Amino acid sequence: MKATFGEYIRQLRTDKGLTLTQLASQLDLDSANLSKIENGKRDFDEKRLDKLSIAFTLDIDELKTEYFGDQFAKKMYQYNCSPETLIVAEEKVNYLKSINVKQVKIDF
Amino acid sequence: MKATFGEYIRQLRTDKGLTLTQLASQLDLDSANLSKIENGKRDFDEKRLDKLSIAFTLDIDELKTEYFGDQFAKKMYQYNCSPETLIVAEEKVNYLKSINVKQVKIDF
DNA sequence: TTAAATTTGTCAAAAATTGACAAGTAAAAT
DNA sequence: ATTTTACTTGTCAATTTTTGACAAATTTAA
């Protein structure tokens, strides 16, 4: 899956033979705005990820991976970030987890 | 460098023997807000990255790497994203670059 | 114990995102 | 051909989020 998140949704939708209006209603969204989302002119709101996963019986974690991967990619592209950014991100996630573990251990 | 972006700034600042007020003024920022940034209670605004790079004679690209790496890590931690997210992000950056190249070639 | 440095709370202003609708174009069905 | 359906685009007020600013602690160190 290399496409943008918008292209991904469009693929899912057309594969299932749904119109914008049909899917939009399942997502509690205006069809005009869904069109913009699919065309990369608006962001998909993360609070609708669960509805999207239900609409297409997708695993929510895979969906989050697609969604946040897309978000990060857009930022990196926009700001011309080096690939190193992602390695740093990985280190920092681990760092955050490690200090949280400490916190939890201290708290109890 | 595993620390958060806030911890990173604090390190730079104290190493140079600057007070919050002194650095804040270089960044055109309130010292109270800089304190919050260092303590992870507010976000550093990306529009000040250039001022930060000047204040500490840092390479702007390294700084961006730290900054966006931190942003991504926070999101991933917050939403409990799988490490796979970063791989997807990398693929999608390449995808965005590839379609942009096409565009450019078509445009001229 | 006084002064400087840092932290925390609050809130209005500014900025960004969202929802909604109107008006357009494109595609298809009749 | 023309009507209907699907999709796209533009706009804007409303909501939400972020920011700047200041007052009032608390902590640290002279």
Side-chain angles (χ1 to χ4, degrees):
Chain A
M1 176 62 61
K2 310 191 304 178
T4 66
F5 197 70
E7 289 165 351
Y8 172 63
I9 294 179
R10 170 148 298 186
Q11 185 75 58
L12 289 166
R13 177 174 67 80
T14 54
D15 282 358
K16 220 180 165 185
L18 296 175
T19 66
L20 283 171
T21 308
Q22 289 171 327
L23 178 56
S25 100
Q26 287 197 66
L27 299 177
D28 193 23
L29 188 65
D30 185 300
S31 68
N33 290 329
L34 179 54
S35 166
K36 286 171 198 160
I37 289 168
E38 289 186 352
N39 291 300
K41 302 188 171 168
R42 267 205 190 200
D43 270 351
F44 187 83
D45 188 338
E46 69 203 17
K47 78 181 179 217
R48 289 195 177 84
L49 284 176
D50 56 338
K51 285 176 181 155
L52 192 61
S53 81
I54 291 164
F56 295 110
T57 0
L58 295 169
D59 178 61
I60 183 68
D61 285 312
E62 280 184 43
L63 205 50
K64 283 199 301 181
T65 301
E66 276 299 317
Y67 177 74
F68 288 106
D70 188 74
Q71 294 271 308
F72 299 166
K74 277 194 286 188
K75 274 276 176 200
M76 286 184 66
Y77 183 69
Q78 181 182 3
Y79 287 95
N80 216 271
C81 294
S82 94
E84 174 77 7
T85 308
L86 296 171
I87 296 165
V88 169
E90 187 176 20
E91 288 170 1
K92 284 178 189 288
V93 174
N94 291 332
Y95 176 67
L96 290 175
K97 284 181 183 163
S98 79
I99 57 181
N100 185 258
V101 168
K102 269 187 218 151
Q103 294 279 118
V104 169
K105 281 187 179 167
I106 287 161
D107 284 342
F108 294 93
Chain B
M1 176 62 58
K2 309 190 305 178
T4 66
F5 197 70
E7 289 166 350
Y8 171 63
I9 294 179
R10 168 148 300 182
Q11 186 74 57
L12 289 167
R13 177 175 67 80
T14 53
D15 283 358
K16 221 182 164 185
L18 296 176
T19 66
L20 284 170
T21 309
Q22 288 171 326
L23 177 57
S25 100
Q26 287 197 66
L27 300 177
D28 193 23
L29 188 64
D30 185 301
S31 66
N33 290 329
L34 180 53
S35 166
K36 286 170 198 161
I37 289 168
E38 289 185 351
N39 291 300
K41 303 186 170 168
R42 266 204 191 202
D43 270 352
F44 188 83
D45 188 338
E46 69 203 18
K47 78 181 179 215
R48 289 195 177 83
L49 284 175
D50 57 339
K51 284 177 183 154
L52 191 61
S53 82
I54 291 164
F56 294 112
T57 0
L58 295 170
D59 178 61
I60 185 66
D61 286 312
E62 281 185 41
L63 206 50
K64 282 198 300 181
T65 300
E66 276 299 316
Y67 177 74
F68 289 106
D70 188 74
Q71 295 270 308
F72 300 166
K74 277 194 289 188
K75 274 275 176 202
M76 286 184 66
Y77 184 69
Q78 181 181 2
Y79 287 95
N80 217 274
C81 294
S82 94
E84 176 77 6
T85 308
L86 296 172
I87 296 164
V88 170
E90 187 176 20
E91 287 169 2
K92 284 179 189 288
V93 173
N94 291 332
Y95 177 67
L96 290 175
K97 284 182 183 164
S98 79
I99 56 181
N100 185 257
V101 168
K102 269 187 218 151
Q103 292 281 119
V104 169
K105 280 187 180 168
I106 288 162
D107 284 342
F108 295 94

